[in-house]
Amino acid sequence: MSCVFCQIVKKEIDAAVVYTDEWVVAFKDIHPQASTHVLIVPKKHISTLNQLQDADAEIVGRMVLAAQKLAGEFGIAQDGYRLVMNCNSDGGQTVFHLHLHLLGGRRFHWPPG
Ligand code: AMP
Ligand code: ZN
């Protein structure tokens, strides 16, 4: 199985890693959509939100807490930021290893297009 985010977690391919802990790895998105665009991924391979189980609750919580910490470190906490998880085709998911986008440094619109 070749999952690009598993390969980053295992350090088999390079990424601009900005944070790691027992549960998650965070790295800069290769095609940033904002001046801060970081992906927070679980070390465990979970392909989409649809595969999440009760036992994964701590992982999801740790993903969000890592994003909160990184927002502080990147200096976007006060102005604000957006967290996004895309699921499957209508959600715009292109990499099938769960990930949380941390986006900041510009104003985002709501509702999204
Ligand atoms: P999504 O559309 O939610 O599945 O987002 C996948 C994201 O992963 C996109 O924003 C890509 O730019 C990003 N991406 C894909 N491959 C890599 C990589 N090797 N390193 C960093 N970001 C990546
Ligand atoms: Zn994976």
Side-chain angles (χ1 to χ4, degrees):
M1 182 197 66
S2 69
C3 166
V4 65
F5 289 175
C6 280
Q7 290 177 298
I8 290 172
V9 167
K10 293 179 196 159
K11 299 182 178 166
E12 291 170 358
I13 62 169
D14 285 335
V17 173
V18 293
Y19 177 79
T20 186
D21 65 22
E22 186 181 338
W23 299 275
V24 306
V25 175
F27 49 91
K28 293 187 180 177
D29 195 293
I30 204 165
H31 293 124
Q33 303 302 313
S35 54
T36 296
H37 189 173
V38 172
L39 301 175
I40 298 101
V41 313
K43 287 184 169 174
K44 175 184 176 184
H45 180 87
I46 300 166
S47 55
T48 84
L49 279 167
N50 293 337
Q51 277 70 44
L52 272 179
Q53 300 177 345
D54 283 354
D56 300 319
E58 178 163 18
I59 291 174
V60 178
R62 294 291 174 177
M63 291 170 72
V64 174
L65 286 167
Q68 179 216 54
K69 177 182 168 69
L70 288 163
E73 289 179 2
F74 279 87
I76 56 173
Q78 197 63 37
D79 284 347
Y81 52 90
R82 185 167 288 185
L83 300 183
V84 175
M85 292 175 84
N86 298 321
C87 184
N88 283 341
S89 50
D90 278 2
Q93 186 175 5
T94 59
V95 176
F96 290 86
H97 179 130
L98 196 70
H99 51 280
L100 180 64
H101 295 258
L102 166 63
L103 295 145
R106 69 173 173 87
R107 182 70 57 93
F108 297 100
H109 301 290
W110 192 263

